[in-house]
Amino acid sequence: MARSRAKDYDDKRLSMLHRSAELFAASGYVGTSMNTIADACGVSKALLYHYYPDKEAILFDILSSHLAKLVAAVRKASAQAGDPVARFRTIVATLLELYRHADAEHQVQISSLKLLPKDKQQPLLASERILVGIMSDALAAAVPAAKQKRVLKPLTMSVFGMLNWHYMWFREGGPMTRAEYAGFVAQLVLAGADDAAAGATRPRGRAKSAGRSRQAELL
């Protein structure tokens, strides 16, 4: 007879995922054991295995849950925003707000997604591509110069760079609030993208690449 799930199963699972993400962010995925996770979560190893068969499954669920939340929220923000400029600003603000309590999950996404087997990476990369596509479409609509193909990709990834790495320096109570920094990033892009695009020169030649980077796969 199959063991029934406790009423607080999902709450415990989410708590385990968040604590595991903190451990992976602090000590690295490779340097964190199932024993360490069980101890940090205050559960027995047997109970942890009731939720997850191995560490790989924990990593996948951390990233899958995190990215699903980002995609759902950004899609909603994009659909509800008004004009193109407001849409872009709303997407930027939404992402930064979602990162408020997810620094560990976000750090794990950046550092450890590549450690999963290829078949498990694919659905996660697909979610990342959705996020990049929404941002790319918003920029193309809000910034006329961004419609140029050779400008759109660098501009889109530059915006993500400002947002994705903010956890390295941003501190609550600092010189800017989270909302103010979101406005700062949006205004920086809106005010400077046209001039930056106009000043960009087409390269005379392309260096051959041995393979596609993760960033290249996203666009």
Side-chain angles (χ1 to χ4, degrees), residues 6 12 18 21 40 138 154 161 173 182 188 209 218:
K12 285 184 177 179
H18 182 64
L188 187 66
S209 175
L218 295 177

Side-chain angles (χ1 to χ4, degrees), residues 122-183:
Q122 292 311 309
L124 304 176
L125 291 172
S127 293
E128 288 187 342
R129 282 192 289 270
I130 292 172
L131 290 172
V132 170
I134 293 172
M135 180 70 79
S136 180
D137 290 345
L139 280 166
V143 183
K147 293 180 181 179
Q148 301 177 53
K149 184 176 180 180
R150 67 190 181 95
V151 172
L152 185 56
K153 179 177 178 179
L155 182 59
T156 300
M157 301 316 295
S158 294
V159 173
F160 275 110
M162 287 187 279
L163 302 179
N164 289 355
W165 293 94
H166 85 290
Y167 74 89
M168 296 289 291
W169 61 269
F170 183 86
R171 297 294 179 270
E172 300 293 347
M176 282 189 181
T177 65
R178 189 171 294 268
E180 287 172 340
Y181 180 59

Side-chain angles (χ1 to χ4, degrees), residues 3 21 34 46 107 110 122 126 145 178 194 209:
R3 181 177 177 180
M34 290 291 276
Q107 187 173 342
I110 293 172
Q122 292 311 309
R178 189 171 294 268
D194 284 332
S209 175

Side-chain angles (χ1 to χ4, degrees), residues 52 76 82 119 126 138:
Y52 293 102
K76 182 178 179 180
D119 62 318

Side-chain angles (χ1 to χ4, degrees), residues 31-100:
T32 304
S33 68
M34 290 291 276
N35 279 331
T36 302
I37 294 171
D39 289 343
C41 293
V43 300
S44 67
K45 195 173 179 181
L47 181 59
L48 180 60
Y49 277 113
H50 174 61
Y51 283 82
Y52 293 102
D54 50 39
K55 191 171 64 171
E56 183 181 289
I58 294 175
L59 176 59
F60 179 80
D61 206 7
I62 287 171
L63 298 181
S64 180
S65 299
H66 178 59
L67 286 166
K69 184 177 180 180
L70 296 182
V71 168
V74 170
R75 275 178 166 162
K76 182 178 179 180
S78 178
Q80 291 180 342
D83 62 86
V85 170
R87 179 187 176 203
F88 170 62
R89 289 183 179 276
T90 301
I91 290 170
V92 170
T94 297
L95 281 171
L96 272 180
E97 184 57 34
L98 287 169
Y99 293 164
R100 180 182 292 274

